[in-house]
Amino acid sequence: MEIIAAEELLRLYRRGEREFLLRSLCGANLQGAHLRGVNLMGADLIGSNLSGADLRGADLSGTDLTRADLSGANLSDADLTHAIIGEANFAGANLTGASWRGVIWGGEEAKSGCFRGANLTGSCFWQAQLPDADFTGANLTGADFWAANLAGADFTDARLLGTFLREANLQGSIFRRANLFGTFLVEASLRDADLSEALLDCANLYRADITNVNLGLAEVVLAILPSGVPQQDNAGGPSQGRNGGNGVRVDKVRLGNLLVQPVVTPAAARF
């Protein structure tokens, strides 16, 4: 892999060069750099400083961004397919429309990166390995997390309107006060997840595993839930009583107008 200094890359970029495949920029300082449309496929960006950089439409597929700082960077429409992002910082970054297919943290020992307050609208995370990721306050509207591993991730105060989470691993994840209006959670695993005070109106949890889920003070209206979760009667109370027919407590939870699908009932949820 050819080593290139940050100054040289910027000089060549200003001259019109855009192709910097398989280059080593380990520890480079590219803070606030204008690199729109740059091709850094397979580059080594370990520990680099890209905070505030303009990387709109950049090709970062296969890059190693371990411990890189991309806080406040503009990565809209960027391609991060199969990128390694262990301990990377994306706090406050604009990631609208970015592709994250197959992205990984970089091994079991890598600590979680940060997406706090990031705009990830419409981003694609197919089969991404993102355990313990921090999405606090992030905008994930319309994002696609099909079959992604998000075990232990924190979505507190996040917006997940219409987000696609089919077959996602969300075991132990935190969704406190999150907005999951219309979220698609078919066959997702929410075992031990915390959905307290979350909004789940019109969400689809068909065949989802909600074993030991915490739905304290959550709002769940017109949602599709696994069978065994009690529906409301016409008077607004739980049709199966306080504990339903399966030990599920529904006090402090609005469960009006539910459409319950005939699937295998998971173990009781915790409220």
Side-chain angles (χ1 to χ4, degrees), residues 137-148:
N139 186 352
L140 296 155
T141 300
D144 190 342
F145 286 93
W146 171 71

Side-chain angles (χ1 to χ4, degrees), residues 173-210:
S173 294
I174 302 169
F175 291 89
R176 294 192 193 106
R177 298 182 303 277
N179 187 341
L180 293 103
F181 184 92
T183 299
F184 196 83
L185 289 153
V186 171
E187 297 181 315
S189 176
L190 286 155
R191 183 182 294 261
D192 298 315
D194 183 356
L195 288 148
S196 55
E197 300 182 68
L199 189 152
L200 285 151
D201 295 354
C202 300
N204 188 341
L205 289 93
Y206 179 67
R207 293 189 182 277
D209 181 356
I210 59 171

Side-chain angles (χ1 to χ4, degrees), residues 104-144:
I104 59 175
W105 283 135
E108 295 181 0
E109 300 302 319
K111 297 180 181 179
S112 299
C114 178
F115 295 91
R116 295 177 69 93
N119 185 351
L120 291 150
T121 303
S123 294
C124 180
F125 287 84
W126 288 1
Q127 298 178 310
Q129 296 297 314
L130 299 167
D132 301 313
D134 186 355
F135 292 100
T136 303
N139 186 352
L140 296 155
T141 300
D144 190 342

Side-chain angles (χ1 to χ4, degrees), residues 8-176:
E8 179 66 7
L9 182 145
L10 293 173
R11 185 182 68 83
L12 293 172
Y13 182 88
R14 286 192 293 267
R15 290 176 54 183
E17 181 67 40
R18 295 293 182 270
E19 304 295 321
F20 300 98
L21 288 71
L22 301 173
R23 304 294 179 88
S24 177
L25 286 154
C26 184
N29 184 1
L30 292 164
Q31 183 178 15
H34 295 278
L35 294 168
R36 185 173 182 175
V38 70
N39 186 350
L40 289 164
M41 184 176 65
D44 179 357
L45 291 162
I46 295 174
S48 58
N49 183 359
L50 290 155
S51 58
D54 183 353
L55 291 160
R56 287 175 289 175
D59 187 347
L60 297 168
S61 58
T63 57
D64 191 341
L65 291 162
T66 302
R67 297 186 302 278
D69 183 1
L70 293 106
S71 57
N74 189 342
L75 289 141
S76 56
D77 298 316
D79 184 0
L80 290 102
T81 302
H82 299 300
I84 302 171
I85 57 174
E87 301 179 61
N89 183 6
F90 292 92
N94 183 353
L95 302 159
T96 305
S99 175
W100 301 78
R101 291 179 176 86
V103 71
I104 59 175
W105 283 135
E108 295 181 0
E109 300 302 319
K111 297 180 181 179
S112 299
C114 178
F115 295 91
R116 295 177 69 93
N119 185 351
L120 291 150
T121 303
S123 294
C124 180
F125 287 84
W126 288 1
Q127 298 178 310
Q129 296 297 314
L130 299 167
D132 301 313
D134 186 355
F135 292 100
T136 303
N139 186 352
L140 296 155
T141 300
D144 190 342
F145 286 93
W146 171 71
N149 179 11
L150 295 158
D154 191 346
F155 294 93
T156 300
D157 294 317
R159 291 172 57 84
L160 296 104
L161 283 73
T163 302
F164 191 85
L165 288 156
R166 180 165 189 159
E167 300 178 47
N169 179 6
L170 295 160
Q171 294 187 35
S173 294
I174 302 169
F175 291 89
R176 294 192 193 106

Side-chain angles (χ1 to χ4, degrees), residues 223-240:
I224 301 174
L225 299 181
S227 65
V229 179
Q231 299 183 66
Q232 297 288 95
D233 58 22
N234 292 332
S239 61
Q240 300 181 47

